[in-house]
């Protein structure tokens, strides 16, 4: 009997111990899920309000570094966290930050947070930033007091210097003063430092990246600029706001109504109204019938020497239409009727009113394509264009006679220099030391097997008149 009772008691306590073990394990699992710091941990949507220790309303908030005030703002409500590390600010107006070089910016925002540890002010809703250089609206921004750096991620819109900008990812540094932007579209009138008036015509500039380091230089990457009359493209464009000198580098493309141009580098001195184009300059002059501003793909043309051109000449004219084609090759009246390509190493052009002229160097050559496969081409050591007198002169090297004119008719002339009028409907030329072969028209071609006459002048006076006539 005692043994049986003992066994029952042992079984009871074993079952009780097992039950307690199961209940204890369940309790331990539940206890492990408890966050002892939950009451102190902030939910993102509350911006740390669960840790708020102090609340202030209608506050004038000023910040100092020693005796110097570096920040000032009016805040509708301030909440200070228990650890005194964060300040949540609601409805900031009339905010200002100052840098060591007296540069400053103003700001406003509906919601912001300031960290004493990182010295960061993070505006998170409805932000606006204003300075002497800009007035931008954005959804948020961050200001780093250590670096005196304002960052605006995402899209920004508003006034940027003397124009309007739509851009992304602005970095604006107060000390030293500099800024950079991501993808940018800016439109406005270009202002030159020291000038009271900006440019008369507004410009629109697009670029993948825009940077203004300390100093006077603006740098645009993969840029395109237009004022409605011209379009300029380049891998890199630098503009000096103080001297108003513009430099385009890498795959420079220039488009206008009358001509298109490509080169590796262009420098435009806007105050002097002078442009210098360098390295692989190719100028495509449009015919009058195609004069309009459009951006097209420009195909580079390989320069050639006279000896590379086939000497064969086309058959003599057999009809009035053919005769007219022959006459057009030798006429300069049609200079604007057909396209012309000019190749050179360097072109320096003055484009101011009353002073239009150009110096073209680097063994320039020009070729004009005419109907039915006909053409005319000229080579020289340098060329001088006078836009006021409307003349183009091609000069030989010193002491040489390497100015050369060839046509698809078989004409082949050399000269010390050669000058042609570029006026409309004026068919005239002038040259010195002109020597070579000129083929006559059909009516003047000898019927027997006689070589065409050659015009050779050993010490000629300057010649004038239309090319041709034997």
């Amino acid at each position: 009997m005692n043994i049986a009772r003992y066994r029952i008691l042992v079984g009871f306590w074993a079952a009780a111990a097992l039950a307690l073990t199961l209940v204890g394990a369940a309790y331990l699992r539940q206890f492990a899920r408890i966050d002892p710091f939950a009451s102190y941990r902030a939910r993102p949507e509350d911006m740390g309000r669960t840790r708020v220790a102090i609340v202030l309303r209608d506050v004038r908030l000023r910040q100092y570094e020693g005796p110097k005030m570096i920040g000032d703002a009016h805040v509708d409500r301030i909440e200070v966290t228990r650890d005194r590390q964060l300040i949540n600010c609601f409805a900031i107006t009339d905010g200002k930050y100052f840098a060591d070089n007296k540069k400053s910016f103003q700001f406003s925002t509906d919601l912001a947070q300031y960290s004493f540890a990182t010295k960061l002010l993070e505006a998170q809703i409805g932000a606006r930033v204003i300075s002497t250089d800009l007035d931008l609206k954005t959804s948020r921004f961050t200001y780093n007091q250590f670096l005196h750096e304002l960052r605006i991620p995402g899209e920004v819109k508003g006034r940027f210097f003397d124009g309007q900008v739509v851009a992304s990812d602005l970095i604006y540094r107060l000390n030293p003063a500099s800024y950079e932007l991501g993808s940018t579209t800016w439109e406005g009138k270009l202002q030159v430092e020291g000038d009271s008036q900006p440019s008369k015509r507004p410009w629109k500039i697009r670029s993948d990246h825009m940077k203004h380091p300390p100093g006077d230089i603006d740098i645009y990457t993969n840029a395109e600029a237009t004022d409605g009359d011209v379009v300029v493209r380049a891998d890199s464009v630098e503009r000096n706001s103080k001297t108003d000198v513009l430099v385009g580098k890498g795959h420079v493309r220039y488009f206008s109504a009358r001509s298109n141009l490509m080169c590796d580098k262009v420098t435009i001195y806007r105050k002097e109204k002078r442009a210098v184009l360098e390295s692989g300059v190719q100028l495509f002059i449009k015919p009058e019938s195609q004069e309009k501003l459009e951006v097209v793909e420009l195909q580079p043309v390989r320069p050639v020497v006279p000896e590379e051109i086939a000497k064969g000449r086309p058959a003599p004219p057999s009809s009035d239409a053919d005769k007219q084609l022959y006459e057009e090759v030798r006429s300069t009246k049609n200079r604007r009727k057909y396209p012309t390509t000019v190749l050179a190493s360097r072109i320096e052009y003055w484009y101011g009113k009353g002073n239009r002229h150009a110096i073209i160097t680097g063994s320039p050559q020009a070729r004009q394509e005419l109907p039915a496969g006909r053409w005319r081409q000229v080579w020289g050591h340098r060329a001088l264009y006078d836009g006021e007198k409307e003349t183009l002169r091609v000069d030989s090297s010193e002491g040489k006679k390497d100015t050369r004119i060839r046509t698809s008719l078989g004409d082949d002339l050399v000269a010390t220099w050669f000058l042609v009028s570029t006026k409309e409907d004026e068919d005239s030329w002038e040259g010195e030391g002109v020597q070579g072969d000129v083929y006559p028209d059909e009516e003047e071609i000898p019927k027997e097997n006689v070589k065409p006459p050659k015009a050779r002048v050993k010490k000629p006076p300057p010649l004038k008149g239309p090319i041709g006539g034997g």
Side-chain angles (χ1 to χ4, degrees), residues 229-246:
D229 284 340
V230 301
V231 177
V232 182
R233 287 180 172 179
D235 293 345
S236 173
V237 176
E238 298 180 6
R239 176 177 179 262
N240 189 312
S241 59
K242 190 172 185 178
T243 63
D244 203 18
V245 175
L246 188 76

Side-chain angles (χ1 to χ4, degrees), residues 1 5 25 94 104 111 118-119 122 162 200 205 211 223 227 236 249 256 277 279 313 331 362 419:
M1 186 71 176
R5 184 179 301 159
D94 193 25
S104 66
L111 179 63
T118 62
K119 301 292 185 182
E122 298 182 61
D162 296 295
K200 295 180 180 180
I205 302 175
K211 185 177 181 179
D227 65 349
S236 173
K249 301 177 182 178
S256 69
L277 305 107
S279 185
R313 62 187 295 256
S331 173
L419 182 143

Side-chain angles (χ1 to χ4, degrees), residues 112-156:
Q113 187 176 81
Y114 178 79
S115 168
F116 286 102
T118 62
K119 301 292 185 182
L120 288 179
L121 175 71
E122 298 182 61
Q124 301 184 6
I125 299 177
R128 182 181 180 185
V129 178
I130 304 172
S131 75
T132 54
D133 301 327
L134 51 84
D135 184 351
L136 302 174
K137 292 182 179 180
T138 180
S139 59
R140 56 200 176 103
F141 71 80
T142 300
Y143 180 67
N144 187 319
Q145 282 186 318
F146 284 127
L147 303 177
H148 301 292
E149 181 181 272
L150 173 71
R151 285 180 175 262
I152 302 179
E155 185 179 73
V156 291

Side-chain angles (χ1 to χ4, degrees), residues 14 75-76 124 129 150 165 168 182 195 197 207 210 236 291 339 351 360-361 366 391 395 419 445-446:
V75 187
D76 183 65
Q124 301 184 6
V129 178
L150 173 71
V165 70
S168 62
D195 287 358
Q197 295 295 329
S207 67
M210 188 261 192
S236 173
E291 286 187 348
Y351 54 88
I360 307 170
T361 55
T391 59
D395 288 339
L419 182 143
I445 297 177

Side-chain angles (χ1 to χ4, degrees), residues 184-199:
T184 305
T185 299
W186 180 89
E187 188 168 3
K189 294 183 178 181
L190 295 175
Q191 179 75 47
V192 182
E193 187 176 319
D195 287 358
S196 58
Q197 295 295 329
S199 59

Side-chain angles (χ1 to χ4, degrees), residues 226-231 255-260 286 290-295:
T226 179
D227 65 349
D229 284 340
V230 301
V231 177
F255 304 91
S256 69
R258 295 192 65 175
S259 63
N260 297 332
K286 302 177 185 179
Q290 298 178 19
E291 286 187 348
K292 63 178 179 179
L293 174 63
E294 61 178 346
V295 176

